[in-house]
């Protein structure tokens, strides 16, 4: 059974940093592109970033370029999202998903507020 | 930036057919995917690659795509199909993902 479990969310002040993790199981992580998707409270889904199977290619939505970094460790069966210079508008539930996306985690809430 | 446009809401009576459209300039060359999201839950894939249904998704869910529009059809909608529905695709490069604006389906 494919499982994706996010962790690392929480309350952070504007300008701060946070690192999200996603533990993958039930499939061979090294053979799939992976994604992060977010959803602000009461809003729609927003694609955030994709990373290639070996980590050699990464793509981001314009609003996070230069602030967020997606990475992976296939040996540890994990996906990451390093978020720097956080803004109030980054407040959202962040989902880890296996591309296209087909399988999703349950999400972790990130709140950016002073 | 690339956008996918959906109607904000669709309302049908139980047993009727609900159709949700998704409009985007790259859809003639890129697949559409459809997700169902119920309140407080993670999205669930209901249609992939325009018209394929994942295992476990009821047959009343179907998808089609023609030109710049993809369509999700719920034939014989049930009360349990009430949810938000989102389309997803990529821009013409294939590397930038994008979700549609979302459609709230009401069955009453």
């Amino acid at each position: 059974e494919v499982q994706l479990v996010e962790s690392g969310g929480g309350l952070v002040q504007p300008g701060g940093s946070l690192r999200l993790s996603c533990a993958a199981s039930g499939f061979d992580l090294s053979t799939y592109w992976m994604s992060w998707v977010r959803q602000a409270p009461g809003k729609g889904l927003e694609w955030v970033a994709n990373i290639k199977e070996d980590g050699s290619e990464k793509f981001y939505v314009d609003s996070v370029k230069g602030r967020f970094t997606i990475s992976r460790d296939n040996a540890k069966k994990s996906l990451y999202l390093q978020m720097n210079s956080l803004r109030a508008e980054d407040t959202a539930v962040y989902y880890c998903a296996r591309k296209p996306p087909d399988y999703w985690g349950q999400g972790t809430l990130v709140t950016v507020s002073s | 930036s690339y956008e996918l446009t959906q109607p904000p809401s669709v309302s049908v009576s139980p047993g009727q057919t609900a159709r949700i459209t998704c409009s985007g300039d790259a859809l003639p060359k890129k697949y559409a995917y459809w997700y169902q999201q119920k309140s407080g839950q993670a999205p669930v894939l209901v249609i992939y690659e325009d018209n394929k249904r994942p295992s476990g998704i009821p047959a009343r869910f179907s998808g089609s795509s023609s030109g710049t529009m993809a369509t999700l059809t719920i034939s014989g909608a049930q009360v349990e199909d009430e949810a938000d529905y989102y389309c997803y695709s990529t821009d013409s490069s294939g590397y930038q993902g994008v979700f549609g604006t979302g459609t709230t389906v009401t069955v009453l």
Side-chain angles (χ1 to χ4, degrees):
Chain A
E1 179 192 7
V2 172
Q3 284 198 323
L4 297 166
V5 179
E6 302 92 341
S7 60
L11 176 64
V12 61
Q13 291 188 338
S17 297
L18 213 54
R19 188 196 197 206
L20 305 183
S21 298
C22 172
S25 61
F27 67 103
D28 185 355
L29 181 64
S30 67
T31 62
Y32 285 89
W33 283 71
M34 295 295 292
S35 301
W36 286 99
V37 177
R38 68 183 178 182
Q39 187 170 35
K43 302 297 184 182
L45 299 171
E46 181 181 37
W47 170 80
V48 173
N50 282 345
I51 185 169
K52 194 176 179 180
E53 296 95 327
D54 62 359
S56 62
E57 295 185 45
K58 306 174 184 182
F59 301 93
Y60 302 91
V61 68
D62 286 348
S63 59
V64 309
K65 283 179 182 175
R67 300 189 300 121
F68 289 13
T69 302
I70 188 172
S71 63
R72 64 195 296 161
D73 186 331
N74 290 335
K76 293 184 177 180
K77 300 182 181 180
S78 293
L79 177 72
Y80 306 102
L81 187 66
Q82 177 67 44
M83 303 184 296
N84 298 332
S85 302
L86 282 161
R87 307 166 180 167
E89 54 265 35
D90 296 317
T91 294
V93 174
Y94 284 75
Y95 294 100
C96 161
R98 191 178 79 171
K99 198 174 179 293
D102 52 8
Y103 289 93
W104 300 61
Q106 285 303 303
T108 186
L109 177 62
V110 172
T111 303
V112 184
S113 174
S114 55
Chain B
S1 61
Y2 184 51
E3 295 181 347
L4 294 174
T5 303
Q6 300 179 232
S9 62
V10 168
S11 184
V12 296
S13 299
Q16 288 189 330
T17 295
R19 292 184 179 85
I20 306 164
T21 58
C22 173
S23 177
D25 289 341
L27 288 177
K29 296 186 176 180
K30 299 300 180 185
Y31 283 127
Y33 298 78
W34 289 93
Y35 301 89
Q36 177 193 70
Q37 186 180 35
K38 296 184 178 180
S39 181
Q41 298 182 20
V44 173
L45 180 69
V46 295
I47 293 291
Y48 67 100
E49 293 180 357
D50 291 344
N51 54 21
K52 299 180 176 65
R53 196 172 54 250
S55 173
I57 300 301
R60 62 181 180 271
F61 290 90
S62 63
S64 63
S65 187
S66 178
T68 60
M69 186 169 290
T71 303
L72 173 69
T73 300
I74 310 173
S75 303
Q78 306 295 309
V79 172
E80 59 262 34
D81 298 331
E82 283 201 340
D84 293 327
Y85 290 83
Y86 296 91
C87 60
Y88 170 88
S89 188
T90 65
D91 68 357
S92 55
S93 76
Y95 296 122
Q96 296 276 336
V98 62
F99 284 92
T101 48
T103 299
T104 298
V105 171
T106 303
V107 182
L108 50 70

